[in-house]
Amino acid sequence: MDENFRVHGFDIYWDSLDPTELTFMFVNHQRTGDGISIFRHKIGTKYLQHVKTVKSPLLYAPNDVVAMSRSTFYATNDMRSTSRIMRQIEIFFGMAWGHIVYYGHEGMFTTAAAGISYPNGIARSADGNTIYVAASSEPSVNMFRPASDGTLALVGKTVFKDFVPDNVSVDTTTGQVLVSGFLNTFEMFRYNHEVLSGTSARPAAAVRRLRPLAYPRMGFAVENVLSHDGTLLPATTMATLQTKRGVQRILLGSVMADHIAI
């Protein structure tokens, strides 16, 4: 299975109707083509049970996934281009060619939203009525409202200056959104290119907390939670809030690192 299980973004879904089971959904860059692999996990056990892997021509550049139920989800296609050169051009010029796909109960993929500049991380509010998407090339975080047919309506956004968002996570108790991202994009690209052979690059990163304002069109109040020069965790791509025994901690992760930071 290892040969055909190459994970990118993932999400975990918990259903209050069956609190003993979790659903895991992984963006899986299989050698036979990209897909979303769905697993079940019985709490208290040490294994995942593979349910299915779903694919579609609409799912050609998946980056991240957010589960809406045990079987439905949204996934981001970060770019339209598939060749390496065209992808670099698309990133450099910030083309709004990315889109979001929806996989519904009928087992069909549809386009939920289009015209997004490198849609990257995706997350949902606790009630599922708001979808947050990091548009890295804009750079911004967009708020969408899902319709019954799975389409997404843009209802608000916050555009950043000198900060490129990568991933988003939601504090389900407060509704606040944590956004991890980069302060020096070119240093981040150099790090990703050179890390396997050794690099001196240390891309500076930050975590922003977004507090939704009274009306979606107003966007968010933005607070800087953490900034570092890259020595804490190079190429920080993920931040999420953990509350344990009344103590809150921010967990930091990186797609290019073998450890996390707290």
Side-chain angles (χ1 to χ4, degrees), residues 65-243:
V65 60
V66 61
M68 300 302 290
S69 72
R70 290 179 176 176
S71 59
T72 63
F73 58 82
Y74 289 99
T76 55
N77 277 315
D78 50 30
M79 285 184 279
R80 186 175 71 185
S81 306
T82 54
S83 72
R84 182 176 180 180
I85 293 177
M86 286 304 299
R87 286 173 68 87
Q88 290 175 342
I89 291 174
E90 196 169 330
I91 291 175
F92 184 81
F93 289 103
M95 302 297 192
W97 290 350
H99 68 279
I100 303 168
V101 297
Y102 176 66
Y103 183 79
H105 290 289
E106 301 82 6
M108 300 291 292
F109 280 88
T110 57
T111 299
I116 307 169
S117 296
Y118 202 100
N120 202 330
I122 185 170
R124 65 190 285 271
S125 60
D127 59 11
N129 291 329
T130 305
I131 303 296
Y132 302 99
V133 178
S136 298
S137 293
E138 189 168 12
S140 68
V141 168
N142 298 338
M143 297 173 59
F144 294 93
R145 288 279 189 265
S148 58
D149 63 356
T151 55
L152 294 173
L154 181 66
V155 294
K157 72 166 59 180
T158 289
V159 178
F160 300 102
K161 181 180 180 181
D162 300 324
F163 176 70
V164 178
D166 191 304
N167 276 297
V168 292
S169 66
V170 178
D171 180 358
T172 56
T173 59
T174 65
Q176 297 173 12
V177 181
L178 285 182
V179 186
S180 56
F182 309 106
L183 301 175
N184 188 325
T185 306
F186 290 104
E187 189 77 350
M188 182 270 293
F189 284 139
R190 186 167 77 89
Y191 178 86
N192 288 346
H193 181 72
E194 300 174 353
V195 63
L196 296 180
S197 58
T199 179
S200 61
R202 287 295 181 267
V207 177
R208 304 280 195 256
R209 178 184 284 120
L210 309 185
R211 304 174 189 269
L213 298 175
Y215 300 99
R217 291 288 180 187
M218 298 173 64
F220 306 88
V222 181
E223 173 192 356
N224 185 51
V225 176
L226 171 70
S227 296
H228 65 88
D229 62 3
T231 56
L232 177 63
L233 186 68
T236 301
T237 56
M238 186 63 200
T240 189
L241 187 67
Q242 180 194 60
T243 302

Side-chain angles (χ1 to χ4, degrees), residues 14 19-22 24 40-48:
W14 178 77
T20 66
E21 186 173 288
L22 299 174
F24 285 72
R40 290 196 185 104
H41 170 67
K42 186 67 68 172
I43 296 175
T45 66
K46 297 181 179 180
Y47 63 88
L48 298 176

